[in-house]
Amino acid sequence: AHNVLGEANTIQSLGNVYLRQHRLDDAEASFGRAVQLHRQAHSVIGEANAIERLGVVYLRRDRLEDAEASFEFAVQLHRQAHHVLGEANAISSLGDVSLHRDRLDDAEASFERAIQLYRQAQDVLGEANAIQSLGDVSLRRNRLDDAEASFECAIRLHRQAQDGLGEANDIQLLGKVYLQRGELDQAQQMFDHALGLHRQAQSVYGEATDAHFLGEVYVHRGKLKEAHASFERAVELFRHVHSVHNEAIVIEKLREVSLLLRDSQKSEALLLPDTKLCERDEPSASGLT
């Protein structure tokens, strides 16, 4: 049984490597095999962890029903084994599924429950991440004061846990709060700060998102050249991490800014083919004001 357990852990670790490399087929195969081996070794916690990792793969693939079923099963197994930290992780992941489905009440309930369990397990990092997610729910509901309080609390906890990437994400989200309030000085300050931290943490995706939001701030300020440069940087970085959807969104914004920057004659010539793109992007742009 010990050898089986060792093999299960090794295969699961390999799955985590594949997940970080976005090799989702390999990750899914590894976690699936790890589930079988943990079951064979009668390791309930091991099985629950592997099932939860499988859920993360499904979530990345937008297979939301499979993800939800995996996380619910993982919650049951962790509860059965009286493993508080594992239960907290799985409940927090269920909150992520609810967020993807725009079921904000369910997401809020999951993150609040996860926070209680993380406190019980004295896991500062888990608590920080769940508080950040709770802030994201408030942000989507336009409860900006609640969101601000959550992100400020998460910053303190991520700092305590010495998690630079978590702190960078908190600061970026705080920037979004200021941007939605129209507090452009504070928003710019936050996105600049987050960009430095994301670079330090070598998070290309985080840096791309910061550059995108800095572009938004410049558009609101009428600084079109700076906006153009920021959006160009964001496109380059999103391309680097193969984030096709985000790259497409920013390319549309780049086109809009390019149109505004050109004289009216060139603008008229380019406006016709791009009208649909601009129209389609308006809702997401207005959501940031």
Side-chain angles (χ1 to χ4, degrees), residues 153-172:
C153 179
I155 287 169
R156 285 194 300 273
L157 292 172
H158 276 127
R159 241 170 233 167
Q160 196 182 319
Q162 298 180 306
D163 183 340
L165 180 56
E167 187 187 340
N169 292 336
D170 299 329
I171 290 169
Q172 181 192 90

Side-chain angles (χ1 to χ4, degrees), residues 91-151:
I91 287 173
S92 192
S93 294
L94 273 174
D96 291 333
V97 174
S98 298
L99 259 189
H100 273 72
R101 288 187 152 154
D102 235 18
R103 292 188 336 216
L104 298 182
D105 288 342
D106 292 343
E108 190 166 31
S110 291
F111 296 133
E112 281 173 349
R113 178 68 186 130
I115 289 164
Q116 289 174 341
L117 292 169
Y118 282 126
R119 279 180 189 153
Q120 205 179 311
Q122 298 182 307
D123 187 288
V124 175
L125 184 56
E127 187 187 342
N129 290 335
I131 287 171
Q132 182 193 88
S133 297
L134 194 58
D136 199 9
V137 174
S138 299
L139 188 60
R140 291 180 193 214
R141 287 188 148 149
N142 217 30
R143 289 182 353 213
L144 299 182
D145 291 348
D146 291 343
E148 184 177 20
S150 290
F151 298 141

Side-chain angles (χ1 to χ4, degrees), residues 6-18:
E7 191 187 341
N9 290 330
T10 303
I11 287 172
Q12 196 165 319
S13 298
L14 193 59
N16 287 325
V17 172
Y18 290 142

Side-chain angles (χ1 to χ4, degrees), residues 205-263:
Y205 184 86
E207 207 183 317
T209 313
D210 298 324
H212 171 212
F213 285 122
L214 274 171
E216 293 284 348
V217 172
Y218 290 132
V219 167
H220 281 76
R221 294 198 132 146
K223 292 184 168 181
L224 297 180
K225 281 182 183 171
E226 289 89 339
H228 193 275
S230 283
F231 287 147
E232 271 191 331
R233 181 74 182 129
V235 166
E236 189 188 318
L237 292 167
F238 279 132
R239 193 167 290 157
H240 186 70
V241 291
H242 311 292
S243 182
V244 180
H245 176 70
N246 286 313
E247 186 190 332
I249 287 171
V250 185
I251 283 172
E252 290 181 13
K253 291 182 182 180
L254 197 51
R255 282 184 182 148
E256 288 176 33
V257 171
S258 297
L259 289 176
L260 291 168
L261 276 169
R262 286 177 191 142
D263 58 79

Side-chain angles (χ1 to χ4, degrees), residues 257-277:
V257 171
S258 297
L259 289 176
L260 291 168
L261 276 169
R262 286 177 191 142
D263 58 79
S264 57
Q265 221 177 2
K266 283 184 181 172
S267 168
E268 272 171 33
L270 283 160
L271 198 56
L272 289 170
D274 285 331
T275 306
K276 281 180 185 170
L277 289 172

